[in-house]
């Protein structure tokens, strides 16, 4: 039955049916005509998918992300990023990369970060004669850092679906996120040297200037620390942390920075409702598939299939990442996480791979799929805003994408990059 | 008329969404204070279910659901129109099935109480047939307006995500 189901799903999806409905319709056919499970179970699965406390972290962090953007936190982080890296060769590219890292601590979405940077930094980069393709590429690929440094919506989804500690996943993202920042900065430095892109500031900032800007952004910089300490000491669960993040953004934005108005709050709420409706419909409908997958023993047969190829953990992971990279070129990241996590986590756990290690490697690869052509949401968003063709983007993104893929391969072979900090903290 | 309908739905969705955040916060604060308000968790999940289905329908009306148009974009206009009509019909049938079985499920759950809130679990399950019904209206409306030439018949989605 599963092959027919897969075929129906793929045909519907690639012929333009909204993905949530392609999943739902393929699944309901199984329940209605498969003769194995009554359709009443299907609706039960849809409803029970929403009844999960850990899942509440997703809408809450989406909301918090929209709020932080409206709360005046972003503009302060831009000032800090400029002071910190503006003096390095390829100044604005460096600023964009460091800004993604700083945003990473308050926001969990690569696409939101990419859209913000394309609007604010993009025009400035074009003015300084950076090519369209390069500006778009630095902003889009750089936003991967935002999705890696905690909080991260992708990691929440992975933890929820694979039953993995979201706290450990969050902490596991810290070192890879920082490494990614330095690797992308290094790549941007070499490109700037070859092309003669100038620094943004004439001289290095004084300690006082850095201090003043750190002070102004203090509330944003403190947030990820509060988040991790809070989860570590059981002060709040990841979902409660999401509610706390919402309250934090409102208090900072309305009382400390005094930039958050009712109108902006309402706007952030409206955006979050639509974002959440979109993700939740996919989650609800794919819950029907999740049941079929378990019933038909898909994880077991997938494990057997991989075991026939190789028993080596590292080779397995590399094969899976190659598969996800390939899927990521055509499928949307959320869809990949929702469909593959329930199959892959039991499988890799059985092979002796730490699910936190695998989660970071998998989510980095999956999110990178949003930055690779021909289909990629972060890429579309940035290229749309900067008026840049996909061909131009692809050419210029290549060195940055290769740098990130290099890091992913290193992460596969050196689990400590991911696991060192969570093992230390927990 | 349709403006008011949309405004009411958006208002309710925001209300449920905000309630979810506030209830989770209440749960966290009371737990830290040593007097956990357990009902807040059940109510938060119930509010979120309603926020989700209303949000899904609003997203459908705004064409905000993810879809892959890589191939379809290259089709001639007539083929795209036919395909969009066919998919809308398929979605309508699917949503009707959900309304039917969702209503049955809700009727079965009237007696069942939610963990600690003392509310009937039917309040949660009712969100599914209600949401499916709203989406049914949205898709029917789009198909009708498309076939009568009042709007371009297409599924034009955005490639949206939050990851």
């Amino acid at each position: 039955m599963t092959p027919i189901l897969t075929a129906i799903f793929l045909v519907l999806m690639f012929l333009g049916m909204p993905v949530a409905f392609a999943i739902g319709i393929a699944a309901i056919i199984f329940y209605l005509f498969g003769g194995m499970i009554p359709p009443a179970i299907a609706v039960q699965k849809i409803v029970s998918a929403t009844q999960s406390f850990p899942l509440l972290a997703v809408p809450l962090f989406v909301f918090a992300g929209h709020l932080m953007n409206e709360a005046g936190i972003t503009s302060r982080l831009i000032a800090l990023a400029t002071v910190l890296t503006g003096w390095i060769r390829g100044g604005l590219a460096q600023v964009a990369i460091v800004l993604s890292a700083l945003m990473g601590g308050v926001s969990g979405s690569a696409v939101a970060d990419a859209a913000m940077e394309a609007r604010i930094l993009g025009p400035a980069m074009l003015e300084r004669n950076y090519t369209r393709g390069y500006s778009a590429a630095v902003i889009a690929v750089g936003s991967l850092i935002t999705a890696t440094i905690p909080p991260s919506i992708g990691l929440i989804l992975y933890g929820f679906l694979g039953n993995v500690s979201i706290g450990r996943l969050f902490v596991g993202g810290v070192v890879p996120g920082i490494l990614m920042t330095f690797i992308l900065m290094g790549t941007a430095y070499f490109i700037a040297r070859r092309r003669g892109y100038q620094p943004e500031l004439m001289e290095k900032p004084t300690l006082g200037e850095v201090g003043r800007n750190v002070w102004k952004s203090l509330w944003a910089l403190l947030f990820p620390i509060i988040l991790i300490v809070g989860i570590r000491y059981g002060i709040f669960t990841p979902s409660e942390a999401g509610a706390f993040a919402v309250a934090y953004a409102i208090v900072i934005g309305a009382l400390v920075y005094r930039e958050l108005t009712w109108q902006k709050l309402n706007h952030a709420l409206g955006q979050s409702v639509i974002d959440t409706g979109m993700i939740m419909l996919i989650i609800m409908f794919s819950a029907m598939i999740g049941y079929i997958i378990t019933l038909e023993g898909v994880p077991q047969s997938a494990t057997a299939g991989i075991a026939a190829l190789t028993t080596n953990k590292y080779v397995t992971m590399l094969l899976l990442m190659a598969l996800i990279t390939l899927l990521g070129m055509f499928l949307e990241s959320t869809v990949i996480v929702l469909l593959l996590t329930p199959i892959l986590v039991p499988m890799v756990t059985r092979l002796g791979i730490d699910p936190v290690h695998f989660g970071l490697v998998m989510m980095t690869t999956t999110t990178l799929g949003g930055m690779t052509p021909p289909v990629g949401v972060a890429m579309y968003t940035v290229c749309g805003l900067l008026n840049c063709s996909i061909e131009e983007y692809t050419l210029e993104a290549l060195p940055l994408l290769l740098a990130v893929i290099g890091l992913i391969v290193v992460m596969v072979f050196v689990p400590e990059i991911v696991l060192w900090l969570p093992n230390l903290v927990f | 008329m349709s403006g008011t309908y949309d405004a009411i739905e958006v208002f309710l969705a925001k209300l449920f969404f905000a309630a979810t955040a506030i209830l989770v916060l209440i749960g966290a604060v009371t737990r830290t204070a040593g007097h956990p308000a357990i009902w807040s968790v059940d109510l938060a999940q119930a509010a979120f279910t309603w926020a989700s289905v209303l949000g899904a329908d609003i997203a459908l009306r705004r064409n905000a659901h993810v879809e892959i148009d890589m191939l379809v974009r290259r089709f001639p206009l007539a083929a795209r129109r036919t395909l969009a009509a066919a998919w809308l019909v398929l979605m309508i049938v699917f949503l009707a099935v959900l309304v039917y079985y969702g209503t049955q499920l809700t009727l079965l759950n009237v007696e069942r109480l939610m963990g600690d809130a003392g509310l009937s679990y039917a309040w949660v399950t009712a969100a599914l047939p209600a949401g499916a019904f709203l989406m049914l209206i949205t898709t029917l409306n789009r198909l009708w307006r498309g076939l009568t030439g009042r709007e371009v018949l297409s599924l034009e989605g955005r490639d949206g995500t939050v990851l």
Side-chain angles (χ1 to χ4, degrees), chain A residues 88-102:
Chain A
I88 306 174
R89 239 176 212 285
L92 270 184
Q94 308 287 3
V95 172
I97 293 165
V98 170
L99 181 59
S100 291
L102 294 174

Side-chain angles (χ1 to χ4, degrees), chain A residues 233-245:
Chain A
Y233 289 100
I235 302 169
F236 36 58
T237 63
S239 303
E240 292 171 350
F244 170 74

Side-chain angles (χ1 to χ4, degrees), chain A residues 11 14 16 74 77 94 99 119 152 198 207 251 291 307 330 347 362 383 390 420:
Chain A
V11 168
F14 280 105
T74 312
L77 288 179
Q94 308 287 3
L99 181 59
R119 268 187 213 107
S152 157
Q198 292 308 309
L207 210 59
V251 170
Y291 192 61
F330 302 98
M347 176 175 146
M362 173 175 162
C383 287
I390 300 294
W420 172 72

